[in-house]
Amino acid sequence: MTDREIKDMEYGAGVQLSPIATQLKESSIRTIANFGMTQPDVTPLWFGESDIPTPEFIRQAASDSLSQGDTRYTPNNGAPALRRALADYQRRLYHTPFDENNIVVTVSGTNAIMLAAQTCVSAGDKVVVITPVFPTLFAVPELLGAKVVQHPLIQVDNRFELDLDALFSQAKDAKAIIINSPANPTGWCASQQEVEAICQFARTHHVWVIADEVYARHTYESESAPSFCQFMKESDPIIVCNSFSKAWSMTGWRLGWLTLPKSITPTITKLIEYNVSCAPGFVQAGGLAAVTQGESFIEQSRERYTQARALVLKWLSDIPGTTLYDMPATFYAFLKIEGLGDNSQPYILQMIEKAKVGVAPGEAFGQGGEGHLRICYGCDLKRLNQALSQLRAYLIAHPCRNNEDESAILK
């Protein structure tokens, strides 16, 4: 059934589905993954998660909590002990004066983004989203009826950069800016000066900033990436979204948090009540263990990702017709393929069949992502080394050609 057929479908006495919901695009990443999962012996580099399991001390804390019967409702804005621990964690990293009253616990980083957007975005508002970016960040304001304007990063040699002047010109009449730094899929990371400048713009022009900092701890030059928490003031229109998923390998736990001005905490808390009610207590117990005991795990993970990044450079940095961008943060490589165009799915599907490696299509991440592939290198080093070797051989043997017929690619 086509999107148009779904849109036109009537239920009961002429009742239709929401046009905003029906017109949302399906994730092409999931399309690739669904196909890849049906093929034998494929190394999956398509999803944004590490294969490192959640550490045992986190699992044990949650298990103990569950065994003790921690299965009832919790406060809408999160368990007080976890909120205090998150405030202490951020004070240590960013020297911020914010306390637990600036922290709200959410059911995942995705839920954090939705709550932030629901707080400050209304139907018809203009929202500027810096791209390429994980599709949730432009889908959320679209679901709320906002007019989303994508602002692509610029490409300079083998790195991505943010044109601040162009961003500010485009956003001066916007209701909000959504920024993901460090960024999925590019690995780009805003500098401290850029973060500070955006904070100043927000307070001067009364534009909200929703900052997704899920990958803040996945940097290679410092303990943490520059954060909006370092510069935001209590009165600033800034909301910082974070998650336990990446730093502590807790993707399936669905736990996140917001850092925000105290004045809007009551509004967010009400939204949580009407969205998800609260995060489970035993899951928050695991989060408390992560944030209070997890620094050594983060450091060990960073060491492995550093080795993995070196393998990416070894295998993919010098292939004719491609550009491998700098990787200052995250566990993603973003690879530009000359001639790939704006529909890389046929090329990737063939890659899965012939090279036994699956990656994510760049166009899934919005403007600036077309013609690229995203490779998640957060997997076992031995397996990654073999997969990258196979990927290199495939890219060399199957160069793209501009305007090549898609049916020919699949032959």
Side-chain angles (χ1 to χ4, degrees), residues 293-313:
Q293 305 172 43
E295 284 303 306
S296 61
F297 173 76
I298 290 175
E299 184 55 39
Q300 292 166 11
S301 299
R302 183 184 291 115
E303 290 174 3
R304 199 185 84 161
Y305 297 144
T306 300
Q307 296 177 59
R309 184 177 65 158
L311 289 176
V312 174
L313 288 168

Side-chain angles (χ1 to χ4, degrees), residues 244-312:
F244 288 80
S245 291
K246 313 301 180 179
W248 296 286
S249 290
M250 296 174 67
T251 51
W253 293 66
R254 316 316 297 142
L255 189 66
W257 76 92
L258 293 164
T259 305
L260 66 171
K262 290 186 180 77
S263 61
I264 65 173
T265 297
T267 299
I268 291 271
T269 301
K270 287 186 291 184
L271 286 169
I272 292 173
E273 169 66 21
Y274 297 125
N275 273 274
V276 294
S277 184
C278 58
F282 60 92
V283 172
Q284 294 187 68
L288 179 61
V291 78
T292 56
Q293 305 172 43
E295 284 303 306
S296 61
F297 173 76
I298 290 175
E299 184 55 39
Q300 292 166 11
S301 299
R302 183 184 291 115
E303 290 174 3
R304 199 185 84 161
Y305 297 144
T306 300
Q307 296 177 59
R309 184 177 65 158
L311 289 176
V312 174

Side-chain angles (χ1 to χ4, degrees), residues 38-50:
T38 68
Q39 304 299 304
D41 303 320
V42 174
T43 301
L45 306 181
W46 44 62
F47 286 149
E49 65 178 350
S50 166

Side-chain angles (χ1 to χ4, degrees), residues 97-233:
F98 293 162
D99 60 29
E100 65 268 27
N101 295 310
N102 297 99
I103 304 292
V104 171
V105 176
T106 65
V107 181
S108 78
T110 300
N111 177 232
I113 293 163
M114 176 60 82
L115 291 166
Q118 287 177 329
T119 301
C120 57
V121 174
S122 301
D125 285 342
K126 176 181 176 180
V127 176
V128 178
V129 182
I130 298 172
T131 59
V133 73
F134 190 65
T136 295
L137 273 74
F138 48 80
V140 163
E142 287 175 349
L143 273 170
L144 298 176
K147 299 175 182 177
V148 174
V149 177
Q150 297 188 34
H151 181 84
L153 297 167
I154 59 175
Q155 300 172 10
V156 179
D157 297 326
N158 65 330
R159 67 183 186 277
F160 283 92
E161 293 185 357
L162 175 62
D163 186 334
L164 275 179
D165 291 337
L167 172 65
F168 294 159
S169 176
Q170 193 168 58
K172 61 186 178 182
D173 61 343
K175 185 66 175 295
I177 296 170
I178 298 180
I179 178 172
N180 172 216
S181 175
N184 170 15
T186 61
W188 166 80
C189 186
S191 69
Q192 186 167 302
Q193 293 76 19
E194 288 169 332
V195 171
E196 187 172 15
I198 294 171
C199 284
Q200 182 59 47
F201 175 85
R203 68 176 64 104
T204 300
H205 293 273
H206 309 292
V207 174
W208 282 96
V209 171
I210 299 173
D212 176 351
E213 298 188 357
V214 167
Y215 295 92
R217 303 304 305 277
H218 288 298
T219 58
Y220 299 99
E221 304 300 330
S222 59
E223 186 179 23
S224 183
S227 171
F228 282 83
C229 293
Q230 294 172 264
F231 304 103
M232 59 188 286
K233 301 175 182 178

